[in-house]
């Protein structure tokens, strides 16, 4: 830290039209704006764009760093360290679930697998009727989804699928199962297998090169390497005894000696389902829904090996669009139990998740890595967890979740076998697998009957496995009243006027599909209503 860094920050903000004063006694810079937003991902990025476009002075506080397309290395180790929470090694307290969450400018949209699936109609109906949240049955929400998809360039067309998605499609077709195209926010000919490490082609339209570009072009300022410590809450007679008013954020930026006190007319928390709750709690909020009702869309993997001699499916596991096809596993009443998709798993991740049975077995598996297709089953979890302190995540699967995952795993294995895999298996601790060539159908079915959603490493079961999660939601859920949710239908905290939440944590429940469009559409509705309200207040 040095004086040059401090003075550069101050001068840069002033040049952008953001007032800055120095408080030598408090060793702080006092910054003034209309709106300060914590986080720049699918929620915060959309909010920044909408609010800046409406003429408001916006400051975005982002603890991660900015990377342009040419800055991405595509290397697994360094990319995980730079772009993910805890270097991609974040887990639940019991070690059962590995959690992947973006930690860079653009948040999860910078490293996700590009899937752009609209909120299913049955989810919207459930949220409207059961949760009594009318916004999700409104024309405004439908228009928001349309606008979001247009802004991030969503297409259902894929010129050429990669190895793993061709396996998924071929297996489904051979079984007579429905396989659907997965809409993506990239061009139809996008054939990048490493977008989970940042898109080096700059083709994927994440928040960092769409919504945040719009925001900056309309005067917004993004402070990177800047971590919010707490929201500033004050007593306000107009808000009633039980409610405070939020007037800003206390933050600390790397290489700047003084703390930042950013005052604003309103404050938006867009740090995501893992970071927004601890920040609200650290600021003094006490609503029982904050940090609870955390849903993770738990995932379990299966694998299938396809020798190079099988020319029907060409390519390598790390080539092509990561997620271009999907299959929904439904019960007899057409209820979705799980979805099956292709996974992006670098060699280090594959080796760390794959069970160690012997040196020879591991060597063989890694030698075959390039032609090993990895699919996963994802369930819309009824179970939930909590995160009230940063990095301390607890989570419990329900019995129904385990049954749905078991059904999804078995379906995924059937798909691999139908596509021509000579060997398939799970990631269970004993190296559960079966050789398919020359094996009778009865033996295959007998094997599938042994496939279950096993417990975690600390379950004390004979066999265990590791679950993964790339979708976190619901930990500050929206509710019709303060008993049902942490925020109201406008995204405003019940306990603090002027403090809004605009990220995946406000979703009322798990949705069962990749949530990016749902998060961005919800954020668009919240921030549009907020912009209209603030601009009305400015009218003479």
């Amino acid at each position: 830290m040095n004086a040059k860094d401090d003075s550069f920050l101050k001068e840069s903000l002033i040049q952008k039209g953001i007032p800055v004063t120095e408080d030598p006694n408090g060793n702080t810079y006092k910054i003034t704006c209309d709106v300060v937003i914590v986080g720049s991902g699918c929620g915060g990025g959309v909010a920044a764009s909408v609010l800046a476009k409406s003429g408001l002075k916006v400051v975005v506080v982002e603890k991660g760093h900015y990377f342009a397309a040419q800055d991405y290395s595509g290397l697994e180790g360094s990319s995980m360290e730079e772009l993910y929470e805890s270097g991609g090694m974040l887990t639940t307290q019991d070690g059962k679930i590995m959690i992947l969450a973006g930690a860079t400018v653009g948040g999860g949209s910078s490293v996700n697998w590009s899937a752009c699936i609209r909120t299913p109609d049955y989810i919207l109906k459930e949220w409207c009727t059961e949760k009594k949240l009318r916004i999700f049955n409104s024309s405004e929400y439908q228009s928001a989804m349309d606008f979001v998809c247009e802004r991030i360039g969503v297409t259902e067309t894929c010129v050429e699928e990669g190895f793993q998605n061709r396996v998924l499609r071929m297996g489904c077709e051979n079984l007579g199962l429905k396989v659907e195209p997965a809409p993506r926010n990239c061009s139809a000919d996008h054939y990048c297998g490493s977008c989970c490490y940042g898109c080096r082609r700059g083709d994927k339209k994440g928040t960092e090169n769409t919504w945040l570009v719009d925001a900056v072009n309309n005067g917004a300022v993004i402070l990177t390497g800047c971590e919010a410590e707490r929201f500033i809450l004050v007593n306000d007679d107009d808000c009633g005894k039980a409610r405070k008013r939020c007037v800003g954020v206390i933050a600390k930026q790397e290489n700047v000696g003084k703390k930042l006190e950013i005052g604003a007319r309103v404050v938006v928390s867009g740090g995501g389902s893992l970071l927004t709750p601890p920040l609200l709690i650290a600021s003094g909020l006490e609503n029982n829904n904050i940090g609870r009702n955390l849903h993770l869309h738990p995932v379990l993997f299966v694998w299938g090996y396809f020798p190079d001699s099988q020319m029907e499916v060409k390519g390598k596991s790390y080539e092509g669009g990561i997620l271009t096809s999907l299959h929904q596993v439904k019960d007899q009443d057409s209820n979705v139990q799980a979805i099956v998709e292709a996974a992006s798993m670098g060699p280090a991740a594959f080796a760390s998740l794959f069970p160690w049975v012997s040196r020879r077995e591991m060597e063989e598996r890694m030698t075959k890595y390039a032609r090993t297709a990895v699919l996963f089953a994802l369930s819309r979890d009824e179970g939930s967890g909590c995160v009230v302190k940063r990095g301390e995540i607890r989570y419990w699967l329900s019995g129904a979740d385990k049954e749905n995952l078991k059904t999804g795993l078995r379906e995924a294995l059937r798909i691999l076998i139908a596509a021509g895999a000579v060997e398939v298996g799970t990631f269970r601790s004993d190296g559960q697998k079966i050789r398919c060539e020359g094996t009778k159908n009865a033996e295959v079915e007998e094997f599938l009957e042994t496939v279950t959603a096993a417990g975690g490493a600390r379950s004390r079961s004979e066999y265990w496995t590791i679950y993964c999660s790339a979708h976190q939601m619901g930990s500050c859920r929206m509710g019709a009243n303060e008993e049902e949710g942490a925020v109201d239908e406008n995204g405003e905290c019940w306990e603090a006027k002027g403090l809004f939440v605009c990220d995946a944590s406000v979703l009322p429940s798990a949705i069962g599909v990749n949530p990016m469009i749902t998060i961005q559409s919800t954020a668009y509705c919240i921030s549009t209503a907020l912009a209209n309200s603030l601009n009305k207040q400015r009218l003479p």
Side-chain angles (χ1 to χ4, degrees):
M1 299 179 188
N2 56 62
K4 287 185 178 179
D5 293 317
D6 284 34
S7 61
F8 177 77
L9 171 66
K10 181 179 179 180
E11 291 166 7
S12 297
L13 289 170
I14 292 173
Q15 288 175 6
K16 294 288 185 179
I18 305 293
V20 182
T21 58
E22 190 172 348
D23 179 4
N25 296 324
N27 196 33
T28 61
Y29 282 127
K30 293 190 174 183
I31 301 167
T32 306
C33 59
D34 291 317
V35 184
V36 57
I37 300 172
V38 177
S40 65
C42 289
V46 171
S49 171
V50 171
L51 293 164
K53 275 187 172 182
S54 74
L56 297 163
K57 277 292 181 184
V58 175
V59 173
V60 179
V61 173
E62 169 56 57
K63 71 182 182 63
H65 298 95
Y66 172 72
F67 296 86
Q70 62 269 24
D71 299 325
Y72 294 124
S73 67
L75 299 175
E76 185 178 10
S78 57
S79 297
M80 296 295 286
E81 180 64 30
E82 293 169 342
L83 306 177
Y84 287 83
E85 278 293 325
S86 303
M89 297 300 289
L90 182 64
T91 72
T92 52
Q93 289 287 86
D94 59 4
K96 184 175 184 175
I97 302 179
M98 292 284 296
I99 295 175
L100 296 176
T104 181
V105 172
S109 73
S110 299
V111 293
N112 69 15
W113 301 353
S114 305
C116 295
I117 302 172
R118 289 173 177 252
T119 317
D121 289 340
Y122 66 89
I123 296 292
L124 294 176
K125 182 179 179 181
E126 177 187 310
W127 289 351
C128 177
T129 57
E130 295 182 18
K131 305 295 184 181
K132 297 179 173 58
L133 298 168
R134 292 167 297 173
I135 183 177
F136 295 109
N137 192 38
S138 66
S139 59
E140 288 82 4
Y141 188 83
Q142 293 295 328
S143 297
M145 285 199 290
D146 292 339
F147 188 83
V148 164
C149 289
E150 180 182 358
R151 180 62 191 94
I152 64 176
V154 176
T155 179
E156 289 190 7
T157 304
C158 179
V159 173
E160 181 183 5
E161 288 194 303
F163 166 69
Q164 296 197 124
N165 284 276
R166 281 203 294 268
V167 165
L168 173 58
R169 180 174 295 277
M170 182 184 297
C172 286
E173 290 174 347
N174 289 343
L175 290 170
L177 301 174
K178 183 179 180 181
V179 59
E180 304 172 37
R184 301 179 295 158
N185 57 331
C186 57
S187 63
D189 63 350
H190 187 49
Y191 198 76
C192 170
S194 61
C195 278
C196 53
Y197 310 133
C199 184
R200 300 177 72 191
R201 289 175 53 181
D203 192 327
K204 185 175 76 170
K205 296 176 177 64
T207 301
E208 77 281 6
N209 51 27
T210 52
W211 301 104
L212 291 173
V213 172
D214 298 342
V216 170
N217 287 341
N218 284 278
V221 173
I222 303 173
L223 301 178
T224 61
C226 187
E227 186 163 5
E229 295 183 347
R230 63 178 175 87
F231 297 117
I232 305 171
L233 303 179
V234 298
N235 294 319
D236 192 323
D237 294 336
D238 294 335
C239 298
K241 292 182 179 180
R243 201 177 192 196
K244 295 181 179 294
R245 180 181 293 275
C246 187
V247 296
V249 175
I250 299 295
K252 187 73 179 67
Q253 188 173 33
E254 293 175 357
N255 302 321
V256 174
K258 295 180 175 61
K259 287 195 174 184
L260 310 183
E261 183 179 316
I262 308 172
R265 294 167 62 192
V266 297
V267 178
V268 176
S269 184
S273 294
L274 303 180
L275 297 179
T276 283
L279 186 57
L280 293 177
I281 291 169
S283 304
L285 298 192
E286 299 176 344
N287 182 290
N288 285 332
N289 292 287
I290 298 174
R292 293 174 174 81
N293 313 302
L294 174 67
H295 294 280
L296 297 180
H297 278 175
V299 159
L300 284 176
F301 301 99
V302 295
W303 58 270
Y305 173 59
F306 297 78
D308 286 319
S309 57
Q310 288 187 277
M311 298 306 294
E312 312 93 76
V313 189
K314 298 179 181 179
K316 308 293 185 185
S317 61
Y318 46 82
E319 295 174 339
I322 295 173
L323 205 170
T324 56
S325 295
L326 64 90
H327 167 63
Q328 295 187 40
V329 184
K330 298 181 179 182
D331 62 19
Q332 293 180 341
D333 297 321
S334 297
N335 297 312
V336 178
Q337 294 179 282
I339 58 174
V340 176
E341 296 176 345
S344 174
M345 195 176 289
F350 181 87
S352 63
L353 290 173
F354 200 87
W356 178 275
V357 177
S358 68
R359 182 193 62 79
R360 178 177 294 179
E361 171 72 10
M362 182 60 75
E363 181 180 6
E364 181 183 352
R365 287 273 69 84
M366 295 310 297
T367 301
K368 296 176 177 178
Y369 162 78
R371 290 285 294 175
T372 298
V374 178
L375 304 182
F376 66 82
L378 177 153
S379 73
R380 182 195 177 200
D381 44 333
E382 293 180 1
S384 64
C386 61
V387 53
V388 295
K389 290 185 179 180
R390 182 174 171 181
E392 295 184 14
I393 304 161
R394 293 177 173 82
Y395 181 82
W396 301 271
L397 283 166
S398 72
D401 297 333
K402 293 178 182 179
E403 281 298 309
N404 288 335
L405 283 168
K406 179 185 74 176
T407 302
L409 283 177
R410 293 179 180 182
E411 188 92 316
L413 286 164
R414 288 191 178 95
I415 290 169
L416 290 168
I417 294 168
V422 300
E423 190 177 22
V424 299
T426 70
F427 283 71
R428 202 172 72 177
S429 58
D430 61 335
Q432 183 183 37
K433 64 180 180 179
I434 185 173
R435 187 153 189 88
C436 307
E437 277 187 321
T439 303
K440 296 178 181 179
N441 289 339
E443 294 178 69
V444 171
E445 287 302 316
E446 186 178 336
F447 167 77
L448 292 175
E449 284 297 316
T450 68
V451 174
T452 63
R458 297 173 63 182
S459 64
R460 298 183 181 179
S461 302
E462 182 179 3
Y463 306 122
W464 54 271
T465 192
I466 295 177
Y467 294 71
C468 287
S469 164
H471 309 153
Q472 302 88 40
M473 67 215 87
S475 53
C476 284
R477 69 182 180 189
M478 189 181 289
N481 53 59
E482 56 188 315
E483 285 73 36
E484 295 293 325
V487 301
D488 65 18
E489 200 166 5
N490 296 313
E492 190 172 22
C493 290
W494 291 106
E495 297 173 87
K497 190 173 180 62
L499 177 54
F500 293 77
V501 179
C502 212
D503 55 35
S505 69
V506 303
L507 301 186
S509 68
I511 63 173
V513 297
N514 305 65
M516 178 164 64
I517 296 300
T518 301
I519 300 166
Q520 294 197 11
S521 300
T522 303
Y524 187 84
C525 289
I526 291 173
S527 54
T528 298
L530 177 56
N532 292 336
S533 174
L534 289 173
N535 283 320
K536 282 181 182 177
Q537 293 173 23
R538 293 200 301 187
L539 293 174

